[in-house]
Amino acid sequence: MTAVLGVDLGGSSLRASVVGGDGRFLGTARVALPQRPGPGGRFEEDPERWWRALTDALRALGDALGAVRGIAISGFTRSQVFVDAAGVPQRPAILFGDSRAATLVQAALARPGIAAQPGAGHLHAFHPLARLAWLARTEPEAWAATRYVIEPKDYLAARLTGRIVSDTVSQYWLARSFAAPPGHPPRAHRLGLGSTPCPQHLAPGDLIGHADASAGRLAGLPVFAGAPDSWAGVLGSGGMGVDRAYCISGTTEVTGLLCPDRADAKGLLTLPWGGGVWQIGGPGQNGAATLDW
């Protein structure tokens, strides 16, 4: 039977499943990845830990991998991995819960040149642009050595294929920060950041490349661009379509509405999900993580 290997890098674990063409699960593995915030709003992770989790999961799947004919990796987003041109991380990844850029954002929004720019209301401590500006200011050597800023799932795909790319959904806000709105310079330039650190962006489902020898028995198989975990969850549940709503329960609770046109609301994320669909929504302070709290 022909099957695909689906990998989901989540906020509390990495899950990998071999799924047959008829939808049956031929094998599933889970590797726990507990994350704990550090002092002062710090929330980081060594990307190598994700790679070790993936290799552990592949070993656990064993003979089920024999049916695999393609690989796709989704994962949590709103996190940044800083790599050089060869894909080597230059520091720990900054994860979705990191709030250390808050003071920088407050100071930036007090400057008229930034506050007057389109979209300035979306700039907050968890925005990728704020994270990059914070890193450039506090760790200039790490920022100078960074060529690309990618997502956690992109790092795993790069380790498998040697190709550094991301997807159009995950990096929408970062790409917008380095684009010039009409009549204004890019917001990134206002914060002292120069050329874009974005790699090539593919649509979810596009071919990235083929797995190399590091993938073991999966070497030579095609690896396809993944997407944020919420995007993948909506697609897999059949909810991808205009005028539909979704609620996904995981480490956090994520809800959203799919619209034919852009809509904005304070505290929510708005971005194109492809195929003429706009998403407005986002994660809440609930879900399984409240058990730890």
Side-chain angles (χ1 to χ4, degrees), residues 25 47-48 54 57-58 61 68 75 90 96-97 101 114 117 128 141 162 198-199 216 273 278:
F25 283 77
E48 183 64 21
L54 177 58
L58 295 182
L61 286 169
V68 172
Q90 299 304 296
F96 47 84
I114 294 179
Q117 280 203 311
E141 291 185 0
C198 296
W273 270 18
W278 284 82

Side-chain angles (χ1 to χ4, degrees), residues 26-101:
L26 307 181
T28 298
R30 177 183 181 273
V31 179
L33 288 169
Q35 299 171 353
R36 294 291 183 268
R42 176 181 174 181
F43 202 4
E44 297 184 340
E45 183 59 274
D46 178 5
E48 183 64 21
R49 189 172 178 230
W50 301 329
W51 176 249
R52 291 195 299 267
L54 177 58
T55 56
D56 288 346
L58 295 182
R59 281 194 294 269
L61 286 169
D63 292 340
L65 296 178
V68 172
R69 296 296 178 268
I71 306 166
I73 307 174
S74 70
F76 63 86
T77 185
R78 297 182 296 119
S79 303
Q80 293 76 41
V81 187
F82 304 88
V83 300
D84 63 13
V88 178
Q90 299 304 296
R91 69 175 314 282
I94 297 179
L95 302 189
F96 47 84
D98 198 290
S99 62
R100 287 175 291 177

Side-chain angles (χ1 to χ4, degrees), residues 92-167:
I94 297 179
L95 302 189
F96 47 84
D98 198 290
S99 62
R100 287 175 291 177
T103 302
L104 182 147
V105 169
Q106 292 173 359
L109 292 177
R111 294 160 52 188
I114 294 179
Q117 280 203 311
H122 292 290
L123 187 63
H124 48 72
F126 308 102
H127 193 289
L129 178 58
R131 302 267 181 80
L132 269 57
W134 175 87
L135 182 64
R137 180 172 299 181
T138 60
E139 300 179 24
E141 291 185 0
W143 176 244
T146 296
R147 176 61 186 89
Y148 298 113
V149 177
I150 57 178
E151 300 277 316
K153 64 174 180 58
D154 303 330
Y155 177 74
L156 294 180
R159 288 292 300 264
L160 284 174
T161 66
R163 187 181 178 196
I164 303 172
V165 299
S166 192
D167 70 280

Side-chain angles (χ1 to χ4, degrees), residues 156-185:
L156 294 180
R159 288 292 300 264
L160 284 174
T161 66
R163 187 181 178 196
I164 303 172
V165 299
S166 192
D167 70 280
T168 54
V169 179
S170 299
Q171 291 210 320
Y172 173 74
W173 285 107
L174 183 58
R176 275 177 59 93
S177 298
F178 285 87
H184 296 270

